[in-house]
Amino acid sequence: MQKWLLISSLLILSACTEQAVDINDDYKARLNTVLGNAPDKPVLKNIQVPVVSQLESQFQISILELGSLGHCKLSNLVAKRNNQLGKTQVASERLKYQIQFIKFANECLNDPLTNDESLKATLKSAAIEKQQNLMSEFNYMLFNEVELKGLLQLTSDLLPTDSNQYSSASAFEALDNLLNIRKQIASEKIDSIDVSSITTSLEKLHQNRFIRQLLSSAQLQIAYNQQLTAWISGFNYMNSVCREGKSKKEAQILNTIFNKFYLNKIQGYQADLTGLLEKTSPMLFELWQAHPELAQLIDVESKNSLLNQLKQTSKEHVIWWQNFYKACDIRTL
């Protein structure tokens, strides 16, 4: 009985939680009672995902050469991969392999039992090549691994208006770890990379959709702000609700709608999104910095970033209302 009551309570709480789409559509529907000709819901387009090509090694180790490396961990690593011929290696596993190859190749080169000079030269060249290509391999993972590529894809599962229902901790942990790995690659501190943490980070992003929800929510709110501002900007209030000698009843209705739906609901939600973008954007910028067209969307210094677009479109919407209040001489409390 207690379990049933708990489930019922959760369902009721979920049902009572307002969604971003609902508060924006409610605001638009109320305005429509006075303005008319309300626009349809905004349609968004997915962010273009960068195309990063997979690199292929110029060096090969034969089966006979591999057999002579039985004393090295590298032998098992390469053999295990070769036993998976015909199977596609996902991007994260490919990156993990490259990192481990560099580590084990260097260990093998320092092992006194490795005495074939030709093979040692091949191992050294292969390790150097993989070291040079490791950042490209990291970027290949960013835009080919499902959990990371998915951050850029729109979702209808948006952040709720109640900030107490946000669950972001594990998503930020995943980003922190990926950024740390990127820094280790950039500084060539390969030995300090824990490859298992790559999988752990992807698992956290798979289980926690916060980043994808935030980016989708910000894009949608920007689109609503732009659409609603464009709509009300075409309303000639001076020749209608604010016309001299006309009752200001409809103007007061608009005032009530703006206060009740925009100021009391939408503005607070936008403030939450702004705060979350201010925290998340620098992390994503560092992660995606190699791709300028994508990086500008989360570069806090760019006017085209989601953060600054959200701020600007919100400001433009409020400015219209300020002009409305001033022209119609409507007093606010």
Side-chain angles (χ1 to χ4, degrees):
M1 181 66 177
Q2 289 180 335
K3 182 178 180 181
W4 182 88
L5 288 174
L6 176 60
I7 293 173
S8 299
S9 299
L10 291 173
L11 289 174
I12 291 172
L13 179 62
S14 176
C16 293
T17 302
E18 284 191 298
Q19 300 299 314
V21 174
D22 297 331
I23 59 174
N24 279 283
D25 284 345
D26 284 348
Y27 177 49
K28 180 165 60 176
R30 300 288 178 162
L31 289 175
N32 188 58
T33 61
V34 179
L35 276 61
N37 299 315
D40 296 329
K41 289 184 179 180
V43 178
L44 302 181
K45 294 183 179 179
N46 273 312
I47 297 172
Q48 188 71 33
V49 178
V51 176
V52 179
S53 301
Q54 181 174 306
L55 301 176
E56 296 298 336
S57 176
Q58 298 180 18
F59 303 94
Q60 301 293 327
I61 300 176
S62 70
I63 295 177
L64 289 177
E65 289 175 323
L66 187 63
S68 69
L69 296 176
H71 58 283
C72 299
K73 292 180 182 179
L74 182 65
S75 177
N76 289 330
L77 178 71
V78 177
K80 184 178 179 180
R81 188 189 187 199
N82 288 343
N83 286 336
Q84 295 179 334
L85 289 176
K87 298 180 181 179
T88 302
Q89 192 175 39
V90 297
S92 60
E93 291 300 317
R94 179 181 170 88
L95 176 63
K96 288 162 64 176
Y97 173 81
Q98 308 297 330
I99 294 170
Q100 288 178 308
F101 186 100
I102 296 168
K103 289 182 179 181
F104 295 160
N106 289 330
E107 288 178 6
C108 197
L109 285 168
N110 294 322
D111 193 312
L113 294 178
T114 308
N115 48 35
D116 184 327
E117 293 302 322
S118 175
L119 179 55
K120 287 175 70 173
T122 299
L123 285 181
K124 184 176 181 180
S125 296
I128 291 173
E129 176 197 59
K130 291 184 184 299
Q131 177 81 59
Q132 293 173 339
N133 293 339
L134 206 53
M135 188 61 77
S136 295
E137 294 286 355
F138 182 83
N139 287 328
Y140 178 78
M141 179 187 71
L142 287 182
F143 304 113
N144 287 277
E145 193 69 44
V146 174
E147 288 80 5
L148 292 167
K149 182 180 180 179
L151 296 179
L152 297 167
Q153 304 302 301
L154 292 169
T155 176
S156 58
D157 180 22
L158 303 170
L159 291 179
T161 56
D162 182 1
S163 59
N164 292 322
Q165 294 190 34
Y166 299 162
S167 178
S168 60
S170 63
F172 283 127
E173 289 171 2
L175 289 185
D176 272 331
N177 185 62
L178 291 171
L179 288 174
N180 186 49
I181 292 172
R182 191 186 189 285
K183 290 175 182 176
Q184 290 170 319
I185 291 174
S187 60
E188 299 187 359
K189 296 179 179 178
I190 309 304
D191 289 340
S192 60
I193 298 176
D194 176 8
V195 295
S196 66
S197 68
I198 296 174
T199 303
T200 301
S201 296
L202 295 177
E203 288 174 348
K204 288 181 178 180
L205 290 176
H206 177 74
Q207 296 166 2
N208 189 323
R209 293 161 55 83
F210 171 78
I211 303 299
R212 186 177 178 184
Q213 289 175 315
L214 173 60
L215 297 182
S216 294
S217 299
Q219 290 177 73
L220 182 62
Q221 190 57 52
I222 290 167
Y224 266 116
N225 286 345
Q226 292 172 331
Q227 182 191 73
L228 293 173
T229 302
W231 175 41
I232 61 177
S233 293
F235 177 58
N236 190 345
Y237 49 79
M238 291 307 298
N239 290 328
S240 53
V241 298
C242 298
R243 189 172 68 246
E244 187 176 353
K246 179 180 173 61
S247 169
K248 291 188 178 179
K249 180 180 179 180
E250 287 184 318
Q252 289 295 347
I253 291 174
L254 288 175
N255 169 48
T256 300
I257 293 170
F258 177 65
N259 278 275
K260 182 177 180 180
F261 292 91
Y262 190 86
L263 294 183
N264 291 342
K265 294 183 178 181
I266 296 175
Q267 193 171 65
Y269 177 66
Q270 290 191 114
D272 288 337
L273 292 182
T274 298
L276 293 170
L277 284 173
E278 287 174 340
K279 179 178 181 180
T280 309
S281 294
M283 301 174 74
L284 293 176
F285 177 75
E286 189 175 348
L287 202 61
W288 295 334
Q289 59 185 279
H291 303 275
E293 292 184 5
L294 179 59
Q296 72 168 347
L297 287 175
I298 31 78
D299 179 4
V300 295
E301 300 298 325
S302 170
K303 66 177 183 180
N304 295 321
S305 68
L306 294 177
L307 172 62
N308 290 322
Q309 283 188 68
L310 183 61
K311 290 180 177 180
Q312 183 61 29
T313 57
S314 173
K315 179 181 178 181
E316 290 170 354
H317 193 76
V318 171
I319 287 174
W320 185 91
W321 282 99
Q322 290 175 338
N323 292 333
F324 167 77
Y325 284 130
K326 183 178 180 179
C328 295
D329 194 26
I330 296 175
R331 306 298 172 83
T332 58
L333 296 178

